[in-house]
Amino acid sequence: MLSRLGALLQQAVETREPSVDLLEAFTEHWKGITGYYLEATDESIPARQTDIPWRLKQMLDILVYEEKQHPVGEAGPCLEYLLQHKVLETLSTLGKAEYPPGMRQQVLLFFSRVLSQVQHPLLHYLNVHRPVQKLLQLSGDRLGCGMEKEEVQFVAVLCTKIKQDPTLLAYILEVSSPRPSLWWLLRCFAAPLPLQGKSILNGRRPSPPRRDSNLITSLMGLCKSKKSRVALKARENLLLLVGLAQEAAAACLVRSSTLCQLLTEHLCDLYSAVPTSTDPADVLALERVSWRSQGDAAGDGVFPGKENLAAFFSWLDYLDELVMGAHPVVADAIAEAVEEKFFRGILQPQLLQMSELDVLSATAVLTGTVRQIRSPPLLHCLVLFLLGSDRHPETPGDTPHPLRTQLIDRCNHLSDEVSPILTRWVRDTGDAEGQRRWSHPARRAADQDLEEDPYFTDGFPDAGFGSAKKPLLGSAPSGKGQVSEVVSSFLCLVPEEAKTSSCMEEGGYDTYVHDALGMVQACRANAAPWGWPPAPRPLDACYPETAFYEGHFLKVLFDRMTRILDQPYSLNLQVTSVLSRLAAFPHPHLHEYLLDPYLNLAPGCRSLFSVLVRVIGDLMQRLQRVPHFRAKLLLVRRQLMGLVPGEQMDHTMLFKGVVVLEEFCKELAAIALVKGPPEGPP
C-alpha cells in the first residue's frame, strides 16, 4: 500500500495535482521511516538498500511543492508537522546512532537538501538549529569515515545561509543541549522499540561528542582532509564565513568559537612536521606557495621535507587570504593569534638560540614567511615582531629590540642569509618619523665643515692609475647635483684600469637602465599606500641638536660594503642587492642618503657614496701591489661568466669584489637615472 501511495504522491507532485492530501502523504512517509525500526530484523542491511532514502526524498519533494502553494513566508501544514513533531531532531539522533549502516549519510543529505531547497527561514527554530548542532558534533567521528563529501556539502549550505543572514551564526554556535535519552527517541515512534537485537543498544552508539564541536571545528576538520576537493571546498566556505559584514556576527565568531586557536594550532603543527634535517637552501629556493594549488608545489624538484614544507606555506598562504578577506574584528584576532602562538611562541626562540644550523633553518622559514604574507594585519604583526614598536629616532645608546638586533648582527656572520630577510625591512620606513633618525641630522648646512676624504684630498699614488674624473664630494654648493652629474659620479667611481665589463662584450648600460626601471616601478607601486612625503623634511624640523646615527641596519650594511674586497662573492651580491633595493624605493630621505653624491655631510657622518669612495681608495692601493692584476682580473670575470673553468688563484676574492663593485656602481647610476632628481626640502 505504501509503495502505491508513494507512486501516487510522486505523480501528484510532478503534475501539480491538488487532489492528494500532502500532509497525509508526508506523515505516511515519516511513519514508514520510523516503522522500519519496528519491523527490521537484519541490522547489517545498509540504509541505501532500504526504502529510507526514497521516503526522505518524497518528504523533501512534498515540502518543496507545498511551499510553492503558499504565500511567501507562510509555513504549510507539512513544514509545521516537521517542526512540531521534531522530525529533524529524531533524524539527527538516528544519524548519530548510524543505524542502519549509512544512515548518517542519508541524514546529512536530507538536512542539506531541506535547508537549501526550502526557502522558508528554518535555522531560527530550536527544533532545527539544535539537530543541526548535533550533526556538526559528529564531524570527524570514527563512524563517519567516508562521509566527508556529505559533511562538506552540509556545512557549505550552513555557511551560505549564515552569509545571507549573519544573525544565524549565534544559533549555530550556541552550546548544544545534552544528548537526548533513548527513551525520548522511543516516544517519538508510534510503538515501543524492541530492546533486544538492535545496534543502538549493542555498542554501535558513538561515544559522547565533544561539547566544543560546532560549525568551526567541523570546517577546520574538513580543511585538513586528505581529499583535495573536500579540503578546498571547506576552506572556501570558511572564507565565506569570516567575511561576514555584520560586526556582531564577527565578534560572535571570535568570542564564541575556537576559530583563531584552531587556525594557529594547525599552522604550528604543520611547521613542527617539517623535518629538522631540511636544508635551509631548499627552503629559500621554494617558490611562493598558493593554498589553492593543493600540494602541486611538492611535485617539482623534490627534496626531503618538501611536501611538509609546502603544506606549511600553503596553510600560511590560506591564513593570509583569510585575514585579507575577513571582517576587521576577525582579521585582527587571527593576526594576533598567529603573532602570539607562531611568531613569538615558536619562531622567536629558534631565532634567538645559538645553534648555527637551527638558526639558519628558522631564518630560512622566516624568509619564506616574509615572502608569503601580504595582508596588512599579518604584515603589521610581522613588522612589530621583527622590528619592535619603537618609532623614535634611533641612537647608539638605545635599548635594542632583541630579535631585530640579533637578526641584523647576524648579517656579519658569513653563513647568514641577508637579502631575503632584510629587504622587507624597508616596509617599516613608511613612517616619516622613523626616517629622521638616519637622514636629516647628517645633512647639515652647506657652510659647515665637510668631512674630508683622504683618498680624494691626497690623490692616488703614482702607480699608473689615472686620476678619477669625477666631481669631488661636496663640490656642488647646493648640495644637489643634476641627474647627469649624479650618474657620472657613480659610473666614474671605479677607475678605467679596474673595469672589465667593456672587455666582455656584455650588454650595454641600457640593460641596467631597463632592470632599474622595472625595480623602481615595482617599489613605487609597493610604497604607494604608505603615505611617504614627496620631499625631505626641512633641517630645522629634525632635531638639529641630535648627533647623527645612521641606525643599526644601515651601519651593518655600510660596514659590509667597506669589507667588500675581503668577503665571499655570494655575500657581496646579497649586500649590494639589499642596498640597490633600498635605493630604488621612492622615499626622499632614502634617495638623498643613498643616491646623492653631493650630500653635505657633517663631521663623522658617512653616506653610501662616501663609503664607496673609501673602498675605491683601498682598492687602488691593493691593486698596485698585485703583479699583472689586469690579466688576472679579466680571468676572474670570465670565470664568473662561466666562459673559462673556475680555477682558484691568488687574490681571487679581491678580484671578485672588484667585479661586484663595478656592477653595483652601474646599478646605482641606472637607478639614479630612472628616479630623476630628488625634490629639495621645503
Side-chain angles (χ1 to χ4, degrees):
M1 181 185 77
L2 290 177
S3 61
R4 289 198 302 273
L5 178 61
L8 181 62
L9 175 62
Q10 181 68 23
Q11 182 182 0
V13 171
E14 292 175 353
T15 60
R16 298 180 180 266
E17 289 289 344
S19 57
V20 176
D21 187 332
L22 294 180
L23 179 59
E24 180 182 352
F26 188 84
T27 57
E28 284 297 323
H29 279 298
W30 177 236
K31 290 177 181 178
I33 292 175
T34 57
Y36 172 83
Y37 291 88
L38 304 175
E39 301 171 1
T41 58
D42 188 353
E43 62 183 45
S44 64
I45 298 177
R48 66 177 181 274
Q49 295 181 13
T50 68
D51 63 352
I52 292 177
W54 176 77
R55 291 189 181 280
L56 290 173
K57 178 65 166 61
Q58 301 308 307
M59 293 170 65
L60 173 67
D61 290 341
I62 292 172
L63 290 171
V64 173
Y65 176 76
E66 177 189 66
E67 186 174 53
K68 295 178 181 178
Q69 311 309 310
H70 290 77
V72 176
E74 180 181 316
C78 297
L79 183 57
E80 290 181 351
Y81 181 92
L82 178 88
L83 298 174
Q84 293 174 2
H85 289 76
K86 302 182 179 179
V87 171
L88 297 180
E89 189 88 21
T90 304
L91 283 174
S92 67
T93 304
L94 295 174
K96 182 191 301 185
E98 185 62 351
Y99 176 72
M103 185 62 184
R104 186 179 303 176
Q105 183 181 38
Q106 301 302 322
V107 171
L108 285 169
L109 288 173
F110 182 73
F111 271 63
S112 299
R113 291 165 179 168
V114 167
L115 293 174
S116 61
Q117 296 183 33
V118 175
Q119 301 305 309
H120 187 86
L122 294 176
L123 286 167
H124 295 88
Y125 294 104
L126 177 65
N127 289 341
V128 177
H129 65 251
R130 183 167 59 186
V132 163
Q133 292 168 5
K134 292 176 182 177
L135 284 182
L136 290 172
Q137 288 180 335
L138 301 177
S139 180
D141 187 277
R142 61 181 180 84
L143 297 180
C145 296
M147 298 184 194
E148 287 184 330
K149 179 181 177 181
E150 289 75 22
E151 289 178 358
V152 78
Q153 181 179 344
F154 177 51
V155 297
V157 172
L158 294 177
C159 291
T160 301
K161 290 294 181 180
I162 294 172
K163 185 69 174 179
Q164 296 169 356
D165 183 3
T167 61
L168 291 173
L169 183 64
Y171 293 92
I172 303 303
L173 293 181
E174 183 183 21
V175 177
S176 59
S177 57
R179 182 180 54 177
S181 67
L182 177 62
W183 297 111
W184 178 90
L185 177 62
L186 295 178
R187 287 198 301 271
C188 293
F189 295 156
L193 183 67
L195 299 183
Q196 291 83 15
K198 293 305 171 183
S199 58
I200 293 180
L201 300 179
N202 286 346
R204 277 192 177 269
R205 181 188 300 159
S207 58
R210 300 193 314 269
R211 291 183 62 89
D212 62 346
S213 298
N214 53 34
L215 178 60
I216 301 302
T217 55
S218 297
L219 278 169
M220 280 298 303
L222 293 167
C223 284
K224 304 174 189 177
S225 173
K226 299 299 183 182
K227 299 177 181 178
S228 59
R229 295 182 64 181
V230 169
L232 185 63
K233 190 171 183 64
R235 294 179 184 186
E236 288 173 344
N237 279 280
L238 188 53
L239 279 170
L240 192 71
L241 201 61
V242 301
L244 296 176
Q246 189 183 84
E247 185 163 352
C252 177
L253 197 59
V254 172
R255 292 195 306 262
S256 303
S257 77
T258 54
L259 173 66
C260 300
Q261 176 185 346
L262 293 174
L263 290 171
T264 311
E265 283 180 353
H266 188 49
L267 181 71
C268 296
D269 290 343
L270 290 172
Y271 178 72
S272 299
V274 178
T276 56
S277 58
T278 303
D279 191 338
D282 289 332
V283 179
L284 292 173
L286 187 68
E287 295 292 332
R288 193 177 187 278
V289 178
S290 170
W291 66 271
R292 295 183 183 274
S293 63
Q294 290 295 310
D296 293 348
D300 302 328
V302 176
F303 58 80
K306 183 173 185 179
E307 184 175 352
N308 303 91
L309 193 66
F312 164 74
F313 282 122
S314 173
W315 188 253
L316 181 62
D317 184 61
Y318 176 68
L319 289 186
D320 190 52
E321 184 162 340
L322 205 66
V323 170
M324 188 85 74
H327 186 282
V329 171
V330 181
D332 290 341
I334 295 174
E336 290 172 6
V338 171
E339 180 185 10
E340 178 185 356
K341 299 297 184 182
F342 180 63
F343 291 162
R344 301 193 185 279
I346 293 182
L347 270 187
Q348 181 166 293
Q350 295 183 357
L351 291 167
L352 293 178
Q353 62 181 314
M354 301 305 295
S355 169
E356 180 178 313
L357 182 59
D358 292 340
V359 165
L360 281 176
S361 299
T363 305
V365 172
L366 176 62
T367 303
T369 300
V370 171
R371 183 173 54 214
Q372 199 76 42
I373 291 178
R374 296 176 178 177
S375 62
L378 272 178
L379 271 178
H380 178 70
C381 288
L382 181 61
V383 167
L384 290 180
F385 167 66
L386 290 174
L387 310 181
S389 58
D390 186 12
R391 291 179 177 271
H392 291 88
E394 187 178 0
T395 63
D398 283 345
T399 301
H401 179 65
L403 182 57
R404 179 186 68 203
T405 303
Q406 190 82 296
L407 288 174
I408 296 176
D409 283 341
R410 285 187 181 138
C411 295
N412 285 322
H413 195 293
L414 292 179
S415 63
D416 272 5
E417 300 293 339
V418 180
S419 177
I421 302 170
L422 296 182
T423 300
R424 281 275 185 167
W425 183 291
V426 78
R427 172 66 176 81
D428 193 46
T429 63
D431 189 333
E433 293 297 312
Q435 293 303 310
R436 300 183 307 190
R437 63 179 180 263
W438 50 262
S439 60
H440 287 295
R443 194 186 70 232
R444 298 305 189 193
D447 60 353
Q448 286 187 331
D449 293 334
L450 301 179
E451 179 190 25
E452 293 186 357
D453 193 310
Y455 296 116
F456 276 85
T457 57
D458 298 344
F460 295 118
D462 186 12
F465 298 114
S467 298
K469 298 179 180 180
K470 62 177 94 53
L472 296 182
L473 183 63
S475 62
S478 65
K480 300 288 178 185
Q482 297 297 322
V483 174
S484 60
E485 295 174 344
V486 171
V487 171
S488 176
S489 296
F490 282 110
L491 290 179
C492 296
L493 260 179
V494 179
E496 292 298 326
E497 291 80 359
K499 292 181 179 179
T500 52
S501 58
S502 59
C503 304
M504 298 290 103
E505 298 183 359
E506 296 179 347
Y509 181 62
D510 291 345
T511 303
Y512 289 88
V513 175
H514 179 271
D515 294 342
L517 180 62
M519 182 164 61
V520 169
Q521 289 176 341
C523 290
R524 283 174 177 166
N526 289 335
W530 300 346
W532 279 352
R537 293 168 61 87
L539 286 172
D540 56 6
C542 302
Y543 301 120
E545 73 284 355
T546 304
F548 171 69
Y549 177 51
E550 58 208 0
H552 192 195
F553 176 47
L554 285 177
K555 179 181 184 302
V556 169
L557 289 180
F558 284 179
D559 288 347
R560 275 295 185 187
M561 281 302 303
T562 63
R563 300 196 294 272
I564 195 172
L565 303 177
D566 302 298
Q567 293 175 157
Y569 176 69
S570 60
L571 181 59
N572 285 337
L573 292 179
Q574 292 172 17
V575 173
T576 54
S577 173
V578 173
L579 286 168
S580 297
R581 182 66 179 270
L582 286 171
F585 273 92
H587 198 291
H589 296 170
L590 282 169
H591 187 107
E592 69 171 359
Y593 195 54
L594 299 179
L595 291 177
D596 187 1
Y598 305 100
L599 181 65
N600 294 330
L601 297 174
C605 298
R606 59 181 179 174
S607 66
L608 178 58
F609 191 81
S610 71
V611 169
L612 291 173
V613 166
R614 284 175 169 75
V615 173
I616 295 299
D618 185 24
L619 169 65
M620 294 298 99
Q621 289 186 347
R622 290 195 192 190
L623 289 183
Q624 68 174 328
R625 296 193 292 267
V626 180
H628 311 294
F629 80 89
R630 179 74 176 173
K632 295 178 180 179
L633 182 58
L634 287 171
L635 177 59
V636 168
R637 178 175 275 273
R638 291 192 179 96
Q639 291 174 348
L640 292 174
M641 296 175 61
L643 300 178
V644 296
E647 299 177 0
Q648 187 68 26
M649 66 175 72
D650 293 339
H651 309 292
T652 296
M653 184 174 292
L654 171 66
F655 295 141
K656 288 183 178 180
V658 175
V659 172
V660 174
L661 193 60
E662 180 185 356
E663 302 306 308
F664 181 49
C665 290
K666 288 193 289 186
E667 286 178 0
L668 293 176
I671 293 171
L673 179 64
V674 169
K675 293 182 70 176
E679 297 288 341

